[in-house]
């Protein structure tokens, strides 16, 4: 990767060594500050790194073009994931484990990274998002994911007005075939996050990552 992404860290570099890392990935049109406040509501053992997407999108940024954009392709998802993976690899050795938390398009990114190298991640949290259609691209190694059955938390509102029902259905099928799924439905959060959901995410990370050492 030619340049490192913009990252907000929850603690200074001198205090990160040996801590579990949680990488937060924002949604379309947002930025690294959007979800950073979640860091204070999650288990204090984690070092949180909130990463900015590479593409300008309205007032914020995105990881790849929207599916209905003519410039969208699986290759654009793969390119973004590869660059993000390179950055994670550059900091991985400093941490006891790496977990991912993605909201909306950030969930697409988190699950794409998991599908490329599932053994690299202790757990993945996906909020109000979906899993991209791999369209046969070899970058997505779903057989390796299925063999490993990694821990995934998927939270959403059935009334989410943003994510298409077809994407939800295909994500349901993929999750049930490939991962150890913790799925929770919320009412009234629409395409968002509430305190109850973050409390559940914290419990999931505590149990699946911190207690699993």
């Amino acid at each position: 990767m030619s340049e490192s992404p913009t990252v907000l860290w929850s603690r200074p570099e001198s205090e990160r060594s040996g801590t579990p890392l949680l990488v937060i990935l924002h949604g379309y049109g947002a930025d690294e500050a959007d979800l950073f406040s979640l860091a204070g509501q999650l288990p204090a053992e984690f070092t949180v790194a909130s990463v900015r997407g590479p593409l300008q999108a309205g007032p914020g940024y995105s990881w790849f073009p929207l599916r209905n954009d003519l410039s969208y392709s699986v290759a654009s998802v793969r390119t973004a994931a590869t660059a993000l993976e390179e950055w994670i690899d550059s900091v991985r050795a400093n941490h006891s484990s790496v977990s991912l938390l993605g909201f909306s398009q950030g969930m697409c990114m988190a699950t794409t990274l998991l599908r490329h190298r599932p053994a690299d991640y202790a757990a993945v949290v996906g909020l109000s998002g979906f899993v991209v259609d791999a369209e046969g691209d070899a970058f997505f190694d779903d057989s390796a994911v299925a063999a490993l059955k990694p821990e995934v938390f998927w939270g959403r509102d059935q009334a989410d007005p943003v994510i298409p029902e077809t994407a939800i259905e295909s994500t349901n099928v993929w999750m049930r075939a490939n991962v150890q799924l913790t799925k929770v439905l919320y009412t009234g959060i629409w395409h968002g996050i509430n305190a109850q959901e973050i409390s559940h995410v914290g419990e999931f990370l505590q149990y699946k990552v911190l207690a699993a050492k």
Side-chain angles (χ1 to χ4, degrees):
M1 187 164 57
S2 56
E3 57 184 77
S4 294
T6 299
V7 182
L8 277 178
W9 291 90
S10 63
R11 64 176 98 220
E13 191 168 1
S14 59
E15 298 174 15
R16 296 174 200 161
S17 182
T19 60
L21 177 64
L22 177 66
V23 178
I24 291 185
L25 308 170
H26 62 75
Y28 185 91
D31 63 21
E32 69 283 3
D34 187 52
L35 302 174
F36 190 63
S37 63
L38 299 182
Q41 303 171 59
L42 296 171
E45 291 90 337
F46 283 92
T47 291
V48 172
S50 187
V51 185
R52 177 190 293 179
L55 305 177
Q56 193 80 42
Y61 298 86
S62 70
W63 299 98
F64 52 86
L66 292 175
R67 185 68 195 251
N68 58 5
D69 191 305
L70 288 176
S71 59
Y72 173 83
S73 66
V74 172
S76 67
V77 180
R78 187 181 66 232
T79 296
T82 299
L84 183 57
E85 191 174 70
E86 286 179 16
W87 175 78
I88 292 172
D89 286 348
S90 76
V91 299
R92 179 185 298 280
N94 202 31
H95 297 277
S96 56
S97 66
V98 179
S99 299
L100 305 170
L101 185 159
F103 173 78
S104 194
Q105 195 184 68
M107 177 177 168
C108 299
M109 286 299 295
T111 52
T112 295
L113 288 172
L114 183 71
R115 294 167 77 182
H116 187 227
R117 294 194 335 216
D120 283 8
Y121 303 101
V124 169
V125 174
L127 307 178
S128 301
F130 61 98
V131 172
V132 300
D133 182 349
E135 297 177 21
D137 192 303
F139 186 86
F140 298 80
D141 192 354
D142 288 343
S143 60
V145 182
L148 202 60
K149 284 278 193 279
E151 295 287 351
V152 175
F153 179 100
W154 183 22
R156 55 179 292 267
D157 186 339
Q158 283 185 295
D160 186 327
V162 174
I163 308 301
E165 190 58 40
T166 52
I168 296 301
E169 288 170 8
S170 60
T171 299
N172 249 321
V173 170
W174 184 89
M175 292 281 190
R176 299 202 178 282
N178 295 299
V179 307
Q180 195 71 36
L181 179 62
T182 301
K183 180 184 176 183
V184 188
L185 296 173
Y186 300 89
T187 302
I189 65 170
W190 306 98
H191 192 65
I193 300 170
N194 68 4
Q196 182 189 34
E197 184 174 40
I198 289 308
S199 174
H200 290 158
V201 169
E203 291 168 11
F204 171 81
L205 292 171
Q206 183 77 44
Y207 181 64
K208 302 298 187 181
V209 179
L210 300 180
K213 287 182 179 177

